[in-house]
């Protein structure tokens, strides 16, 4: 950058003062928060992030220095909420991805379901709907709620992938059947009250030591899942909460 285009020392100082002001406003909003998703806190957070980013850029342009602030990427941030202040309806949009890592366990679980449905008659071989992976998936997802599949995925030979949950607000409930073909396409991001994402990409910057620990844990529990015909049916359900 040329000297003529560089910000002045006064501009950098003004940006630093703006960060201080935004920091005070954010703390005040947090202290007065009315709930976990208080829009005033969300707005103050965005103002603080914008002020910190502006200061970071000016500081670098003027002095070739950086701040320790980690500025959230604008591409990942939700736009400002413009939905109703007192919504009369809400929609919860959920997507969960899985990988079939143990097909035999999946098939065995589906066979158990079919055996129960046939009044205890044992299904011979893999001739029924549970005889193929896609058929077994149909049997299991037809028998169990999606939340139960999520909590017992290892039991069904599945491995969790990315997941996302959106809560959107509206004045009126949607017309029956109008969004079923593409549930996320009609979601207005300006009406998203909150969003929770779980993804492996968030772990890209994890320390190597943490990766080693995770590998050891996987190795330790792996043998317990090797037997696809294990008759044990754990009843513990694991509730998953994604951090905002």
């Amino acid at each position: 950058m040329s000297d003529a285009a560089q910000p002045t020392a006064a501009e950098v100082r003004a940006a630093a003062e703006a960060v201080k002001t935004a920091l005070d406003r954010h703390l005040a909003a947090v202290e007065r928060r009315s709930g976990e998703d208080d829009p005033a806190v969300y707005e103050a957070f965005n103002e603080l992030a914008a002020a910190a980013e502006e200061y970071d850029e000016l500081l670098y342009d003027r002095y070739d220095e950086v701040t320790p602030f980690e500025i959230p990427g604008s591409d990942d941030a939700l736009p400002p909420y413009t939905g109703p202040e007192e919504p009369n309806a809400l929609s919860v949009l959920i997507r969960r991805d899985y990988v079939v890592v143990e097909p035999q366990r999946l098939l065995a679980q589906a066979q158990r379901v079919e055996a129960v449905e046939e009044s205890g008659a044992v299904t011979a071989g893999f001739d029924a709907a549970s005889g193929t992976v896609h058929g077994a998936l149909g049997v299991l997802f037809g028998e169990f709620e999606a939340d139960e599949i999520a909590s017992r995925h290892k039991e069904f030979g599945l491995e969790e992938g990315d997941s996302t949950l959106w809560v959107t607000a509206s004045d009126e409930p949607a017309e029956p059947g109008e969004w079923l073909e593409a549930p996320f396409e009609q979601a207005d991001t300006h009406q998203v009250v909150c969003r929770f994402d779980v993804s492996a990409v968030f772990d890209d910057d994890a320390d190597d030591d943490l990766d080693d620990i995770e590998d050891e844990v996987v190795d330790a529990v792996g043998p317990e899942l090797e037997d696809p015909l294990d008759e044990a049916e754990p009843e513990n359900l694991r509730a998953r909460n994604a951090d905002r």
Side-chain angles (χ1 to χ4, degrees):
M1 179 178 290
S2 66
D3 292 341
Q6 284 185 344
T8 65
E11 289 174 329
V12 178
R13 172 63 61 181
E17 294 299 326
V19 172
K20 297 175 186 178
T21 300
L23 189 62
D24 289 338
R25 290 176 178 171
H26 180 261
L27 177 58
V30 170
E31 290 174 337
R32 298 192 304 267
R33 70 187 310 163
S34 59
E36 184 176 352
D37 298 313
D38 190 331
V41 175
Y42 181 78
E43 181 179 357
F45 173 88
N46 287 337
E47 290 178 354
L48 176 57
E53 184 174 16
E54 176 71 10
Y55 172 61
D56 188 85
E57 291 178 357
L58 293 179
L59 186 70
Y60 181 80
D61 291 342
R62 176 69 185 182
Y63 299 110
D64 199 24
E65 291 289 344
V66 296
T67 69
F69 305 142
E70 182 177 351
I71 309 302
S74 57
D75 292 340
D76 298 330
L78 286 172
Y81 176 76
T82 59
E85 290 299 323
E86 298 183 4
N88 295 316
L90 62 88
S91 297
V92 180
L93 310 179
I94 302 175
R95 171 172 171 167
R96 300 187 181 108
D97 286 357
Y98 298 95
V99 178
V100 179
V101 291
E102 294 186 89
Q104 293 301 318
R105 180 178 288 274
L106 178 71
L107 294 168
Q109 291 284 12
Q111 281 189 306
R112 292 186 190 128
V113 171
E114 286 192 330
V116 170
E117 291 177 349
E118 294 177 5
S119 301
V122 178
T123 305
F126 292 126
D127 297 329
S130 60
T132 63
V133 171
H134 73 272
L137 288 170
V139 169
L140 292 176
F141 278 86
E143 176 68 17
F144 301 103
E145 295 288 341
D147 288 341
E148 186 169 2
I149 296 278
S151 65
R152 300 171 59 185
H153 63 278
K154 291 183 179 179
E155 194 178 331
F156 301 132
L158 304 175
E159 180 180 282
E160 291 177 312
D162 290 357
S163 66
T164 186
L165 182 151
W166 298 13
V167 179
T168 65
S170 58
D171 286 317
E172 301 294 336
E175 291 294 328
E178 70 175 357
W179 52 265
L180 297 180
E181 293 298 324
F184 277 83
E185 278 189 7
Q186 297 187 24
D188 184 351
T189 54
H190 290 85
Q191 292 184 319
V192 175
V193 177
C194 55
R195 172 178 172 177
F196 304 95
D197 296 322
V198 176
S199 176
V201 300
F202 300 148
D203 300 328
D204 288 346
D205 297 330
D207 295 335
D208 292 339
D209 291 343
L210 292 179
D211 292 337
D212 293 339
I213 292 174
E214 291 173 358
D215 291 339
E216 292 173 4
V217 172
V218 171
D219 291 340
V221 302
E224 298 178 4
L225 302 177
E226 289 179 356
D227 182 6
L229 299 179
D230 183 3
E231 294 296 329
E233 297 184 359
E235 297 180 354
N236 295 335
L237 302 181
R238 179 170 60 86
R240 302 187 61 224
N241 293 320
D243 290 338
R244 183 173 178 181

